Amino acid sequence: MESQSITFILKKLVGMTLMPVPLTLLCILLGLWWFSRAPIKSRLAFFSAFLLLAVSAFNPVADRLIAPHESYYPVFDIEQPVDAVVVLGSASQSAPPDSPAFMSLGSSAMYRLSEGLRILRANPDAILIVTGYAGFSAAQPHAEILQQAAIDRGVDPLRIFAFPTARDTENEASLTEPLLRDKRFALVTEAAHLKRATVFFERKGLNPLPAPAMFVGAHHSDWRLDSSGLYKTERAFYETMGRAWQWLKSFL
């Protein structure tokens, strides 16, 4: 268990480091280090930092990077009957004391839960499964926040099954597999994350019905450099590394 925890932390650290902003900062630090020692290397590092940040934040580039990850599945057709709706965990955020549970959900989590509840309403006999651990700083597991938010939206508590120890998508598939065996279920997560998530569940012998909950890419890009472009590039980087790691693990 301890080795699994170390592997999980290392995976997260590597994933966070190989993102546009940390890589930009690394280039700046190298530029400062080489400033008097190697002026040519220093100028190259500063130029690389500028170019990386500018390209990452440029929406036409960001939209093209994220598009392949979001193009696998269409919006879920609620005419499809399901026995369960699985809302994969995302991120929580701090909220004032005594706030409704929805205020503690990050934007991705709100999209995911909203789509999950839309599908659930079309299937009154289906169960709702929510996942997500507390992270390294949150006081309450993400799954419990999702559970309370669903109850606040009128879902019968007896229909909800929470998995508050699930730390990543592979772990979510492992923990929920006994409950989902031989069931038709909608798998709800961000569009960019859905292909990778579906593979994890299929490797458990399950047959998820993909339900994308959040599309961040635009079909007609504007020409701005902004944080939304940077976010899309980061999501594309993250999913590319996630798919690569998933592929490598299949040979281990």
Side-chain angles (χ1 to χ4, degrees):
M1 180 64 71
E2 184 177 348
S3 62
Q4 291 179 348
S5 298
I6 293 174
T7 302
F8 173 76
I9 293 172
L10 287 175
K11 182 180 69 173
K12 290 295 184 183
L13 288 174
V14 170
M16 288 187 294
T17 302
L18 297 178
M19 291 286 112
V21 171
L23 288 176
T24 297
L25 293 175
L26 177 60
C27 288
I28 293 173
L29 289 174
L30 288 173
L32 293 173
W33 173 259
W34 285 326
F35 191 77
S36 57
R37 298 174 175 84
I40 294 177
K41 288 183 179 180
S42 177
R43 287 195 291 270
L44 181 60
F46 283 129
F47 177 75
S48 298
F50 168 80
L51 186 63
L52 178 60
L53 188 60
V55 170
S56 298
F58 189 42
N59 276 284
V61 172
D63 286 326
R64 281 158 181 75
L65 289 174
I66 196 66
H69 299 284
E70 295 191 328
S71 61
Y72 286 103
Y73 307 107
V75 174
F76 189 84
D77 180 4
I78 58 173
E79 296 298 322
Q80 301 178 85
V82 295
D83 304 308
V85 179
V86 181
V87 176
L88 298 183
S90 180
S92 304
Q93 62 185 17
S94 60
D98 302 320
S99 297
F102 245 91
M103 291 187 180
S104 296
L105 298 177
S107 59
S108 177
M110 293 183 71
Y111 275 101
R112 297 182 193 202
L113 184 59
S114 295
E115 177 63 5
L117 296 182
R118 182 180 78 94
I119 300 170
L120 195 71
R121 283 193 293 271
N123 296 271
D125 295 324
I127 60 172
L128 175 64
I129 296 173
V130 292
T131 65
Y133 77 131
F136 300 107
S137 58
Q140 185 178 13
H142 183 71
E144 293 180 2
I145 298 174
L146 287 171
Q147 182 180 33
Q148 186 58 54
I151 293 171
D152 292 344
R153 289 297 185 273
V155 179
D156 183 347
L158 297 178
R159 296 176 66 189
I160 307 174
F161 294 81
F163 290 83
T165 61
R167 298 183 302 178
D168 57 21
T169 313
E170 186 175 13
N171 193 213
E172 289 168 326
S174 297
L175 292 174
T176 58
E177 184 268 335
L179 192 58
L180 294 171
R181 178 67 60 182
D182 300 322
K183 283 187 171 63
R184 288 176 56 87
F185 66 97
L187 182 62
V188 184
T189 185
E190 283 186 47
H193 176 234
L194 193 50
K195 179 61 177 179
R196 185 161 59 95
T198 299
V199 170
F200 279 125
F201 280 80
E202 288 175 341
R203 286 180 179 175
K204 294 296 178 182
L206 303 173
N207 296 295
L209 299 174
M214 180 181 177
F215 294 85
V216 298
H219 294 293
H220 302 287
S221 304
D222 59 47
W223 290 78
R224 290 180 299 175
L225 288 83
D226 57 23
S227 58
S228 65
L230 187 58
Y231 174 77
K232 286 180 275 191
T233 300
E234 287 180 337
R235 291 297 300 144
F237 272 47
Y238 186 83
E239 287 305 320
T240 299
M241 289 188 294
R243 293 290 302 280
W245 175 243
Q246 187 180 57
W247 178 79
L248 285 173
K249 285 193 69 176
S250 66
F251 295 98
L252 300 178

